């Protein structure tokens, strides 16, 4: 009788579930409709967004340093942005625990977190060449 092992899947699910993303809405009223996650772009700065946009929410991502990377924080932020109707995420800050915090965590057995602060945005389509560009809203 052959035994199959499915132990590889649970750790992957556990790592993905370790990242928490909180969204603080920045505008009143109803949210835009959700969008597919693969349509959400990451921007390093607001200046990198070439088309009109609106800021939807502040995103605060965090997860245990031992089980996350900056990429896992960004991926979780993209999922949250898509869920609340954002098609872009502007990176404001990613912070790594200091070496002192890592030593203290090892000595005292306390968890330390990797954190990220981002803004979910809804980027509108760009006007055709020659059209006037409306002000940001």
């Amino acid at each position: 009788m052959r035994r199959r092992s499915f132990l590889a899947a649970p750790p992957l699910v556990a790592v993905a579930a370790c990242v928490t993303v909180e969204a603080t809405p920045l505008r009143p009223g109803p949210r835009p409709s959700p969008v597919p996650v693969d349509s959400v772009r990451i921007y390093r700065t607001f200046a990198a967004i070439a088309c009109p946009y609106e800021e939807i929410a502040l995103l605060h991502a965090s997860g245990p340093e031992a089980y996350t990377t900056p990429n896992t924080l960004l991926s979780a932020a993209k999922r949250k942005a898509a869920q609340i109707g954002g098609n872009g995420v502007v990176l404001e800050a990613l912070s790594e625990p200091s070496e002192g915090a890592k030593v203290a965590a090892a000595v005292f057995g306390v968890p330390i977190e990797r954190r990220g602060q981002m803004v979910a945005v809804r980027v509108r389509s760009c006007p055709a060449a020659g059209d006037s560009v409306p002000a940001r809203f």
Side-chain angles (χ1 to χ4, degrees), residues 3 11 23 26 33-34 40 49 60 62-63 72 80 88 90 92 94 104 109:
R3 293 177 59 175
L26 293 174
S33 299
V40 179
I49 304 173
H60 300 278
S62 62
T72 55
K80 179 58 101 176
V90 180
E92 289 194 326
L94 282 177

Side-chain angles (χ1 to χ4, degrees), residues 27-115:
R27 64 185 193 105
R31 288 191 229 171
S33 299
V35 301
V37 174
D38 58 352
S39 70
V40 179
R41 293 189 54 196
I42 300 288
Y43 298 96
R44 294 260 305 127
T45 64
F46 284 100
I49 304 173
C51 301
Y53 65 90
E54 68 178 306
E55 297 177 11
I56 297 175
L58 294 176
L59 302 177
H60 300 278
S62 62
E65 186 266 344
Y67 301 110
T68 61
T69 66
N71 283 341
T72 55
L73 291 182
L74 290 173
S75 294
K78 282 177 68 170
R79 286 191 300 276
K80 179 58 101 176
Q83 181 183 25
I84 62 174
N87 59 3
V89 172
V90 180
L91 178 62
E92 289 194 326
L94 282 177
S95 62
E96 297 288 324
S98 68
E99 292 304 315
K102 290 178 183 180
V103 170
V107 171
F108 299 111
V110 294
I112 53 176
E113 290 195 334
R114 178 174 279 118
R115 297 178 184 272

Side-chain angles (χ1 to χ4, degrees), residues 11-32:
L12 293 176
V13 171
V15 169
C18 288
V19 176
T20 302
V21 180
E22 297 292 329
T24 304
L26 293 174
R27 64 185 193 105
R31 288 191 229 171

Side-chain angles (χ1 to χ4, degrees), residues 41 43 48-53 87 123-134:
R41 293 189 54 196
Y43 298 96
I49 304 173
C51 301
Y53 65 90
N87 59 3
V123 180
R124 306 289 181 187
S125 57
C126 285
D131 290 348
S132 63
V133 178

